[in-house]
Amino acid sequence: MTRIKIFSILFIALLYISCSKDDYKLGSEIEPHLRFNFLVKADNAPLEYPAINGNLVPQSTYENKAVRTLKVPVALTTRNLKGTVTANFSAETNGASDSFSVKPINQLSFQGSKLTDTIFVSFDKRWTASQNITLKLETVSNPDIHIGNLNSAYPNDTFKIDLGTIATNYTFPVTKYNVKGEIGETIDFKVYYPNGFFPEEIENATIFKFQNGFEYSLTHDDYGDNRTSVNYHLTLLEDLQNDDAQFESKLTLINIPNYTATGNINLTITKPIKTPRDVQAYPASKFSDPTNAFYLTYGEHWFNNNGTCSWQTFNALTFPVIVTKDDPNAILYSDRGTTNPNDDIYHDAFKIGFNVASGTNTVNSFGLKRWFSNENNSASISPGFNITSALEFFPANGNSKTEGTVLVIPQDITIGTTGTAAVPSRSHVIAISGEGTYKEISNGLYEISFELKLTNDALFGGTVSTQYRMYNNRTYPKPAALSIPCPKEVTL
C-alpha cells in the first residue's frame, strides 16, 4: 500500500472519530447525536460547562473523591433546534440507593441553541468502598437523534462514576476581621470545605476551640444545597468602646472524626486601638495600583546567605484591602461609572496586602519563602504565603501624606511542607508581628523600614526577627549593611 493511501485511510479514520467530539459544531452535516461530554483537566478536576477546551477528550469514567456536587454535561450535536428535544436517562448504583441523588430526576431538555444540559449528582451519605454510580442515556424524544457517538469505540452513551477514598477537611478562607466594638454588631465569616461535607456529620459536632476576649454569640446558616462552605455569624454581646484598649477573640478549627483542620485554622476577631487618621492621607495608595493586577512592591531583608548576613531581595504582588462603605478607614476608589451607590468600591486607606492575581499559587510575602526549606508553595497547603491584609500605616499627625509609622498586622499564618508517600505534609502555624516607619525618600519613591517577628516554638525556639526595607519602585538605593545578627533558613 502506498504512503498516500495509508495517509488517506488514517485521515478518514481520525476525521470520523474527531467529529463526534466536537461539542459545539452547530452547522454540522453529520447525523444528530446525543452523548455524555465529561471533560477532565490535567489536575484531574472536571472542566465545568460552559467552559470548553477542544483539546480534551470526553471521558466515560471518573474517579470522584469529593463530596461536593458533581456536574455531568450531556451534549447534543445538531443544527439549531426548532423545537424542544427531551432525553431520558437512568442512574443506578451498586451501593446504597439513598446515598446519592440526581437533578433533574431523569429527563434532560435541549432547545434552540441550548445544546448542552447538565446532570447534577449530589452525595447524601458517606459511601462504602468500591461503590460506583452509572448514568445511562435511555431514550430521546426525536427518533432522528442517535444516542451515543457515531462510532462504537467511544459511544459515551453511559458514564460511570467510581467513588474513591474521601478526604474531607476544612479551613478559614479569611483569617482576620476587625470590629468597631458596638453591641449587636455582626461579623460574617465562612468555613470552607474544599472537598465538600455531609451535613449530618457536622451538624452537632464541635469544630471550634475558643479563646475569647469579649462576649459574643455564634450562629450559622442552613446548609442548603451548598456543600463547599458554611456561613457563620458572630454577634457582639457587649460594647467595646475603650479606644485605648485592644480587644481580641480567636476561633481555632480542630480535628473531628472524618474531618481534618488544614491550611488556615485560626480566625481572629479584633477591636483595635482607635487612632485618629485622615483617610485623605491615603498612604495605601503609595504602595498599590488596583489598575495593574501585576503591580509589585520590592523589598530587602537582612538574612543569612551562605553563612554571611546580607540584604536579600524579594518582591510580591501587592493589592489594596477592599472594605465596606461604613468601615472607618474606607475611601471611595470607584463608583463604577454609575449613580448607584450600592456598587461603589471602597478601599482601606491605611492597609495593603500581598496575594496572587488569580489561581492557587502563592506570592513571596515578606520574602518568607527564603526563611524555609521543604515548603509547599500551593495556597491550599501554605496559605500563609499570601497575606491579604499585611501592613497598616499610621500617618504622622494623623494626616501626613509623606511619612508615618507602619505596623505588621499581627496574625497567625500557616506554612506547610511538601509531603511524600512516606512522610505526609505537615503544617506549621506561625505568629507574625512587627513595626517600623515609612517615608518618601525622594520624589514619588517611598521606603518602608520595619522589623518583622516570627514566633513558633518548634521551628525557632520562640521568636526570631530581622530588619526589612520595602519600596514602591524597582529602582531604589541599596540599604547600608547592618551590624546585627540575622536569621537563617529552617527546615519545616
Side-chain angles (χ1 to χ4, degrees):
M1 184 179 293
T2 65
R3 181 176 300 176
I4 294 177
K5 289 182 179 178
I6 293 174
F7 176 82
S8 299
I9 292 172
L10 288 173
F11 177 80
I12 292 170
L14 289 171
L15 179 63
Y16 181 68
I17 293 174
S18 64
C19 71
S20 66
K21 301 174 186 176
D22 186 353
D23 307 337
Y24 306 97
K25 191 175 181 182
L26 302 183
S28 174
E29 297 297 336
I30 62 175
E31 181 180 346
H33 56 282
L34 183 72
R35 79 280 189 208
F36 289 102
N37 192 44
F38 191 89
L39 305 177
V40 177
K41 296 181 288 186
D43 61 358
N44 201 44
L47 181 72
E48 294 189 357
Y49 178 81
I52 59 174
N53 185 333
N55 295 320
L56 299 179
V57 177
Q59 303 296 303
S60 58
T61 63
Y62 178 71
E63 184 180 19
N64 180 66
K65 297 182 179 181
V67 181
R68 60 180 179 270
T69 298
L70 186 66
K71 303 175 183 178
V72 182
V74 178
L76 172 61
T77 296
T78 185
R79 293 179 179 274
N80 283 355
L81 297 171
K82 296 180 179 179
T84 299
V85 169
T86 60
N88 292 327
F89 68 93
S90 61
E92 297 182 351
T93 180
N94 64 344
S97 59
D98 63 348
S99 62
F100 75 100
S101 57
V102 297
K103 290 183 179 179
I105 295 177
N106 63 2
Q107 189 174 85
L108 303 167
S109 178
F110 309 87
Q111 56 187 348
S113 60
K114 177 186 172 292
L115 300 180
T116 294
D117 203 356
T118 302
I119 301 172
F120 297 86
V121 182
S122 299
F123 305 99
D124 304 318
K125 292 183 179 180
R126 193 169 289 268
W127 51 75
T128 58
S130 302
Q131 185 174 349
N132 59 64
I133 299 169
T134 300
L135 305 176
K136 182 179 180 181
L137 299 175
E138 299 283 1
T139 61
V140 62
S141 62
N142 187 334
D144 293 332
I145 297 176
H146 181 78
I147 294 179
N149 279 327
L150 302 181
N151 64 79
S152 58
Y154 307 99
N156 291 115
D157 56 348
T158 63
F159 182 73
K160 182 182 177 185
I161 305 166
D162 290 319
L163 300 180
T165 302
I166 311 171
T168 42
N169 48 48
Y170 42 35
T171 188
F172 287 120
V174 178
T175 61
K176 186 176 180 66
Y177 291 90
N178 284 348
V179 294
K180 291 179 286 186
E182 300 171 351
I183 190 169
E185 181 181 359
T186 297
I187 290 294
D188 300 325
F189 67 90
K190 291 181 181 293
V191 174
Y192 177 52
Y193 296 77
N195 286 330
F197 64 90
F198 296 103
E200 63 182 18
E201 294 182 344
I202 66 171
E203 175 61 45
N204 298 314
T206 300
I207 69 171
F208 300 119
K209 179 176 70 175
F210 301 95
Q211 182 181 333
N212 295 332
F214 51 82
E215 295 296 320
Y216 58 86
S217 65
L218 191 64
T219 59
H220 66 75
D221 290 348
D222 292 337
Y223 300 126
D225 292 332
N226 176 19
R227 298 291 174 82
T228 57
S229 65
V230 178
N231 297 316
Y232 284 83
H233 313 285
L234 183 149
T235 302
L236 294 188
L237 300 179
E238 62 175 305
D239 269 328
L240 311 175
Q241 294 306 308
N242 183 348
D243 291 344
D244 297 323
Q246 176 168 300
F247 299 84
E248 184 173 281
S249 288
K250 181 181 290 187
L251 286 73
T252 300
L253 290 169
I254 59 176
N255 296 335
I256 62 172
N258 295 321
Y259 293 83
T260 304
T262 58
N264 294 321
I265 65 171
N266 293 318
L267 171 66
T268 303
I269 311 294
T270 303
K271 200 292 292 184
I273 295 171
K274 189 173 182 180
T275 303
R277 289 177 288 182
D278 181 0
V279 296
Q280 297 305 319
Y282 204 0
S285 66
K286 307 298 190 300
F287 301 96
S288 63
D289 181 4
T291 65
N292 180 2
F294 302 100
Y295 178 84
L296 296 169
T297 48
Y298 302 84
E300 308 234 2
H301 59 166
W302 188 245
F303 207 79
N304 186 292
N305 181 27
N306 295 322
T308 301
C309 293
S310 63
W311 288 108
Q312 302 290 301
T313 63
F314 66 92
N315 59 61
L317 292 169
T318 310
F319 297 92
V321 175
I322 297 176
V323 295
T324 57
K325 180 181 181 179
D326 60 352
D327 189 287
N329 299 330
I331 187 167
L332 179 64
Y333 167 67
S334 172
D335 62 6
R336 295 180 183 258
T338 72
T339 58
N340 181 5
N342 295 325
D343 66 359
D344 293 348
I345 300 174
Y346 287 85
H347 289 166
D348 192 305
F350 307 108
K351 294 179 183 178
I352 59 171
F354 311 107
N355 203 355
V356 292
S358 62
T360 58
N361 291 325
T362 54
V363 296
N364 196 14
S365 299
F366 297 133
L368 289 174
K369 294 180 180 180
R370 186 173 284 117
W371 283 74
F372 311 108
S373 64
N374 196 37
E375 75 276 11
N376 188 300
N377 291 320
S378 167
S380 62
I381 304 297
S382 298
F385 285 136
N386 296 333
I387 307 177
T388 56
S389 187
L391 292 173
E392 183 168 9
F393 302 96
F394 297 83
N397 302 316
N399 60 6
S400 173
K401 295 188 175 182
T402 59
E403 61 181 331
T405 59
V406 68
L407 179 73
V408 177
I409 299 172
Q411 58 193 287
D412 292 332
I413 64 172
T414 300
I415 307 297
T417 63
T418 298
T420 64
V423 182
S425 176
R426 302 182 303 277
S427 292
H428 301 270
V429 177
I430 302 165
I432 64 169
S433 61
E435 58 184 342
T437 61
Y438 71 96
K439 185 176 183 179
E440 186 178 27
I441 58 176
S442 65
N443 186 27
L445 178 64
Y446 284 79
E447 178 188 72
I448 310 173
S449 175
F450 63 97
E451 178 187 40
L452 177 68
K453 300 177 182 179
L454 277 67
T455 301
N456 180 286
D457 289 339
L459 293 175
F460 311 118
T463 300
V464 292
S465 65
T466 195
Q467 285 292 313
Y468 277 74
R469 305 289 185 268
M470 291 185 65
Y471 303 89
N472 63 337
N473 193 295
R474 69 188 308 164
T475 303
Y476 55 84
K478 186 76 173 180
L482 303 177
S483 56
I484 61 173
C486 60
K488 61 181 180 179
E489 181 184 76
V490 299
T491 300
L492 294 175

PDB file of all heavy atoms in Angstrom, residues 7 52 177 183 225 232 286 364 382 402 426 449-450 484:
ATOM      1  N   PHE A   7      -1.981   7.324   4.359  1.00  0.00           N
ATOM      2  CA  PHE A   7      -2.327   8.627   4.932  1.00  0.00           C
ATOM      3  C   PHE A   7      -3.817   8.910   4.786  1.00  0.00           C
ATOM      4  O   PHE A   7      -4.469   9.406   5.710  1.00  0.00           O
ATOM      5  CB  PHE A   7      -1.508   9.729   4.244  1.00  0.00           C
ATOM      6  CG  PHE A   7      -1.870  11.110   4.707  1.00  0.00           C
ATOM      7  CD1 PHE A   7      -1.346  11.619   5.888  1.00  0.00           C
ATOM      8  CD2 PHE A   7      -2.758  11.903   3.977  1.00  0.00           C
ATOM      9  CE1 PHE A   7      -1.691  12.878   6.313  1.00  0.00           C
ATOM     10  CE2 PHE A   7      -3.095  13.161   4.405  1.00  0.00           C
ATOM     11  CZ  PHE A   7      -2.567  13.661   5.574  1.00  0.00           C
ATOM     12  N   ILE A  52     -15.060  25.465  27.842  1.00  0.00           N
ATOM     13  CA  ILE A  52     -14.790  24.484  26.791  1.00  0.00           C
ATOM     14  C   ILE A  52     -13.288  24.390  26.560  1.00  0.00           C
ATOM     15  O   ILE A  52     -12.533  25.331  26.842  1.00  0.00           O
ATOM     16  CB  ILE A  52     -15.500  24.832  25.469  1.00  0.00           C
ATOM     17  CG1 ILE A  52     -15.053  26.214  24.961  1.00  0.00           C
ATOM     18  CG2 ILE A  52     -17.001  24.795  25.630  1.00  0.00           C
ATOM     19  CD1 ILE A  52     -15.609  26.563  23.594  1.00  0.00           C
ATOM     20  N   TYR A 177     -10.623  39.566  61.104  1.00  0.00           N
ATOM     21  CA  TYR A 177     -11.636  40.593  60.936  1.00  0.00           C
ATOM     22  C   TYR A 177     -11.510  41.607  62.061  1.00  0.00           C
ATOM     23  O   TYR A 177     -11.193  41.246  63.204  1.00  0.00           O
ATOM     24  CB  TYR A 177     -13.053  39.995  60.977  1.00  0.00           C
ATOM     25  CG  TYR A 177     -13.415  39.136  59.793  1.00  0.00           C
ATOM     26  CD1 TYR A 177     -13.165  37.763  59.800  1.00  0.00           C
ATOM     27  CD2 TYR A 177     -14.010  39.693  58.661  1.00  0.00           C
ATOM     28  CE1 TYR A 177     -13.508  36.967  58.722  1.00  0.00           C
ATOM     29  CE2 TYR A 177     -14.350  38.909  57.578  1.00  0.00           C
ATOM     30  CZ  TYR A 177     -14.095  37.542  57.614  1.00  0.00           C
ATOM     31  OH  TYR A 177     -14.430  36.758  56.541  1.00  0.00           O
ATOM     32  N   ILE A 183     -22.255  46.928  70.494  1.00  0.00           N
ATOM     33  CA  ILE A 183     -23.116  45.809  70.852  1.00  0.00           C
ATOM     34  C   ILE A 183     -24.121  45.558  69.725  1.00  0.00           C
ATOM     35  O   ILE A 183     -24.668  46.485  69.130  1.00  0.00           O
ATOM     36  CB  ILE A 183     -23.843  46.084  72.192  1.00  0.00           C
ATOM     37  CG1 ILE A 183     -24.547  44.816  72.690  1.00  0.00           C
ATOM     38  CG2 ILE A 183     -24.810  47.247  72.073  1.00  0.00           C
ATOM     39  CD1 ILE A 183     -25.055  44.917  74.111  1.00  0.00           C
ATOM     40  N   ASP A 225     -28.220  23.605  49.610  1.00  0.00           N
ATOM     41  CA  ASP A 225     -27.595  22.758  48.589  1.00  0.00           C
ATOM     42  C   ASP A 225     -26.094  22.990  48.479  1.00  0.00           C
ATOM     43  O   ASP A 225     -25.390  22.257  47.793  1.00  0.00           O
ATOM     44  CB  ASP A 225     -28.240  23.006  47.218  1.00  0.00           C
ATOM     45  CG  ASP A 225     -29.689  22.523  47.176  1.00  0.00           C
ATOM     46  OD1 ASP A 225     -30.011  21.577  47.918  1.00  0.00           O
ATOM     47  OD2 ASP A 225     -30.482  23.116  46.420  1.00  0.00           O
ATOM     48  N   TYR A 232     -21.125  31.595  58.828  1.00  0.00           N
ATOM     49  CA  TYR A 232     -21.304  31.814  60.258  1.00  0.00           C
ATOM     50  C   TYR A 232     -21.505  33.304  60.534  1.00  0.00           C
ATOM     51  O   TYR A 232     -21.037  34.160  59.769  1.00  0.00           O
ATOM     52  CB  TYR A 232     -20.095  31.302  61.040  1.00  0.00           C
ATOM     53  CG  TYR A 232     -20.051  29.797  61.176  1.00  0.00           C
ATOM     54  CD1 TYR A 232     -19.535  29.014  60.156  1.00  0.00           C
ATOM     55  CD2 TYR A 232     -20.530  29.163  62.318  1.00  0.00           C
ATOM     56  CE1 TYR A 232     -19.491  27.623  60.270  1.00  0.00           C
ATOM     57  CE2 TYR A 232     -20.497  27.781  62.446  1.00  0.00           C
ATOM     58  CZ  TYR A 232     -19.975  27.022  61.417  1.00  0.00           C
ATOM     59  OH  TYR A 232     -19.949  25.660  61.531  1.00  0.00           O
ATOM     60  N   LYS A 286       0.097  54.707  47.932  1.00  0.00           N
ATOM     61  CA  LYS A 286       1.503  54.834  47.525  1.00  0.00           C
ATOM     62  C   LYS A 286       2.131  53.467  47.259  1.00  0.00           C
ATOM     63  O   LYS A 286       3.190  53.373  46.636  1.00  0.00           O
ATOM     64  CB  LYS A 286       2.298  55.552  48.617  1.00  0.00           C
ATOM     65  CG  LYS A 286       1.722  56.890  49.065  1.00  0.00           C
ATOM     66  CD  LYS A 286       1.684  57.895  47.939  1.00  0.00           C
ATOM     67  CE  LYS A 286       1.342  59.288  48.426  1.00  0.00           C
ATOM     68  NZ  LYS A 286       0.023  59.403  49.094  1.00  0.00           N
ATOM     69  N   ASN A 364       5.427  35.758  47.389  1.00  0.00           N
ATOM     70  CA  ASN A 364       6.504  35.683  48.384  1.00  0.00           C
ATOM     71  C   ASN A 364       6.386  36.838  49.369  1.00  0.00           C
ATOM     72  O   ASN A 364       7.276  37.687  49.457  1.00  0.00           O
ATOM     73  CB  ASN A 364       7.863  35.684  47.678  1.00  0.00           C
ATOM     74  CG  ASN A 364       8.985  35.219  48.570  1.00  0.00           C
ATOM     75  OD1 ASN A 364       8.764  34.656  49.640  1.00  0.00           O
ATOM     76  ND2 ASN A 364      10.213  35.457  48.144  1.00  0.00           N
ATOM     77  N   SER A 382       0.007  26.014  51.986  1.00  0.00           N
ATOM     78  CA  SER A 382       0.726  27.135  52.619  1.00  0.00           C
ATOM     79  C   SER A 382       0.010  28.453  52.352  1.00  0.00           C
ATOM     80  O   SER A 382       0.535  29.350  51.674  1.00  0.00           O
ATOM     81  CB  SER A 382       2.162  27.198  52.095  1.00  0.00           C
ATOM     82  OG  SER A 382       2.882  26.035  52.406  1.00  0.00           O
ATOM     83  N   THR A 402       3.353  62.033  53.543  1.00  0.00           N
ATOM     84  CA  THR A 402       4.713  61.647  53.171  1.00  0.00           C
ATOM     85  C   THR A 402       5.402  60.732  54.168  1.00  0.00           C
ATOM     86  O   THR A 402       6.395  60.085  53.809  1.00  0.00           O
ATOM     87  CB  THR A 402       5.599  62.897  52.992  1.00  0.00           C
ATOM     88  OG1 THR A 402       5.609  63.641  54.220  1.00  0.00           O
ATOM     89  CG2 THR A 402       5.082  63.770  51.864  1.00  0.00           C
ATOM     90  N   ARG A 426       3.104  18.370  56.526  1.00  0.00           N
ATOM     91  CA  ARG A 426       2.904  18.906  57.869  1.00  0.00           C
ATOM     92  C   ARG A 426       2.669  20.400  57.783  1.00  0.00           C
ATOM     93  O   ARG A 426       3.249  21.078  56.931  1.00  0.00           O
ATOM     94  CB  ARG A 426       4.112  18.633  58.769  1.00  0.00           C
ATOM     95  CG  ARG A 426       4.459  17.166  58.919  1.00  0.00           C
ATOM     96  CD  ARG A 426       5.651  16.964  59.864  1.00  0.00           C
ATOM     97  NE  ARG A 426       6.833  17.695  59.413  1.00  0.00           N
ATOM     98  CZ  ARG A 426       7.681  17.244  58.501  1.00  0.00           C
ATOM     99  NH1 ARG A 426       7.449  16.080  57.904  1.00  0.00           N
ATOM    100  NH2 ARG A 426       8.739  17.955  58.155  1.00  0.00           N
ATOM    101  N   SER A 449      10.503  50.905  56.416  1.00  0.00           N
ATOM    102  CA  SER A 449      11.576  50.308  57.202  1.00  0.00           C
ATOM    103  C   SER A 449      10.965  49.719  58.461  1.00  0.00           C
ATOM    104  O   SER A 449      10.363  50.432  59.259  1.00  0.00           O
ATOM    105  CB  SER A 449      12.620  51.380  57.564  1.00  0.00           C
ATOM    106  OG  SER A 449      13.610  50.849  58.422  1.00  0.00           O
ATOM    107  N   PHE A 450      11.121  48.405  58.652  1.00  0.00           N
ATOM    108  CA  PHE A 450      10.456  47.788  59.800  1.00  0.00           C
ATOM    109  C   PHE A 450      11.161  46.502  60.223  1.00  0.00           C
ATOM    110  O   PHE A 450      11.989  45.948  59.493  1.00  0.00           O
ATOM    111  CB  PHE A 450       8.991  47.489  59.475  1.00  0.00           C
ATOM    112  CG  PHE A 450       8.772  46.503  58.355  1.00  0.00           C
ATOM    113  CD1 PHE A 450       8.533  45.153  58.609  1.00  0.00           C
ATOM    114  CD2 PHE A 450       8.799  46.926  57.023  1.00  0.00           C
ATOM    115  CE1 PHE A 450       8.327  44.249  57.574  1.00  0.00           C
ATOM    116  CE2 PHE A 450       8.596  46.023  55.984  1.00  0.00           C
ATOM    117  CZ  PHE A 450       8.349  44.685  56.255  1.00  0.00           C
ATOM    118  N   ILE A 484      24.171  43.675  62.802  1.00  0.00           N
ATOM    119  CA  ILE A 484      23.343  42.890  63.710  1.00  0.00           C
ATOM    120  C   ILE A 484      23.275  41.457  63.195  1.00  0.00           C
ATOM    121  O   ILE A 484      23.502  41.207  62.005  1.00  0.00           O
ATOM    122  CB  ILE A 484      21.926  43.474  63.835  1.00  0.00           C
ATOM    123  CG1 ILE A 484      21.224  43.475  62.464  1.00  0.00           C
ATOM    124  CG2 ILE A 484      21.955  44.880  64.434  1.00  0.00           C
ATOM    125  CD1 ILE A 484      19.749  43.874  62.527  1.00  0.00           C
TER     126      ILE A 484
END
